[in-house]
Amino acid sequence: MKLIIGLGNPGKEYENTRHNIGFMTIDYYVKAKKCDTNGWQKKFNALYMQVNLAGEKVIFLKPQTYMNLSGESVRDCVNFFKVDINDILVISDDLDLAVGNFKLKSNGSSGGHNGLKNIAECLGTTEYKRLKVGIAKDKSIDIKDYVLGKISSDDLKIYDALFNHLTEVLDDYFKLPFSDLMSKYNQKNR
């Protein structure tokens, strides 16, 4: 069983904001794979969807706790479904990567990302996998305002192409060892 978590903030006012790139990535994937036919269920203070992909049970999770408390939903879902830490992939925004870039990581620090920090606190480990999606950085804007800011129409076009590519990455995530997945895709993102 795999658990794929997209990070973001709930509510209309946060749609198409940089901090919601995790939600957007998951939404694109489940729509592209036509696995959203039963819709999202509410549980764990989150929206979740349970599907079968590549012969494996997969849970998609979008915490509805707001970013800084994402770990509470993740912990409740992990405990309920008895998900192994090695089977968790968290998709989040990353200020240090340019728009259109992404990076796979097998573990590590939060890098200042409050959602990742809270997940590590609630799970008691930083040994979960990540798919970090670049949102760039604008030093002239306060970080909080920047991550909660709307994505420009030009950047939305870039993300649309990127989400299509990330669909391939997620498909391969179900087939390849994670080290092979990182080797295959990370080298293309410099």
Side-chain angles (χ1 to χ4, degrees):
M1 177 189 312
K2 301 277 191 211
L3 173 59
I4 300 181
I5 301 145
L7 297 186
N9 287 306
K12 284 268 185 219
E13 69 269 30
Y14 295 108
E15 284 181 6
N16 291 328
T17 60
R18 294 175 186 92
H19 232 7
N20 273 31
I21 212 78
F23 281 5
M24 294 166 72
T25 304
I26 283 184
D27 287 341
Y28 188 97
Y29 185 80
V30 298
K31 189 173 182 183
K33 293 301 180 182
K34 297 179 177 38
C35 51
D36 58 351
T37 53
N38 292 330
W40 293 92
Q41 311 289 316
K42 289 182 180 181
K43 194 170 185 164
F44 320 114
N45 207 354
L47 296 175
Y48 83 100
M49 183 182 302
Q50 190 172 326
V51 299
N52 283 305
L53 290 170
E56 182 159 23
K57 184 158 56 166
V58 179
I59 298 160
F60 293 100
L61 186 77
K62 298 193 298 184
Q64 302 293 292
T65 53
Y66 294 95
M67 184 64 75
N68 296 355
L69 299 175
S70 298
E72 295 175 5
S73 292
V74 173
R75 178 191 57 221
D76 292 349
C77 183
V78 165
N79 290 342
F80 183 84
F81 287 109
K82 310 280 188 265
V83 180
D84 189 286
I85 293 295
N86 291 321
D87 292 325
I88 296 173
L89 177 68
V90 178
I91 305 170
S92 67
D93 58 285
D94 191 293
L95 286 163
D96 295 323
L97 294 171
V99 171
N101 280 340
F102 67 93
K103 184 174 184 177
L104 293 153
K105 284 190 70 176
S106 58
N107 57 33
S109 76
S110 68
H113 191 289
N114 289 330
L116 296 177
K117 190 182 301 180
N118 190 250
I119 290 171
E121 288 169 5
C122 290
L123 294 181
T125 184
T126 59
E127 297 296 311
Y128 57 88
K129 296 169 180 68
R130 301 112 196 269
L131 169 55
K132 301 166 78 159
V133 181
I135 61 170
K137 193 185 299 184
D138 185 335
K139 292 181 177 156
S140 68
I141 302 172
D142 177 72
I143 288 177
K144 182 179 176 226
D145 294 334
Y146 182 74
V147 297
L148 295 178
K150 295 285 184 188
I151 299 169
S152 71
S153 57
D154 287 344
D155 285 353
L156 279 173
K157 289 176 191 160
I158 294 169
Y159 284 125
D160 200 47
L162 178 62
F163 294 150
N164 189 48
H165 183 54
L166 292 179
T167 296
E168 296 171 29
V169 174
L170 289 173
D171 282 345
D172 279 349
Y173 169 69
F174 299 116
K175 302 172 197 162
L176 299 174
F178 201 74
S179 57
D180 293 352
L181 190 72
M182 290 190 296
S183 295
K184 180 175 181 177
Y185 290 105
N186 281 348
Q187 62 190 343
K188 297 177 182 178
N189 280 305
R190 299 196 175 156

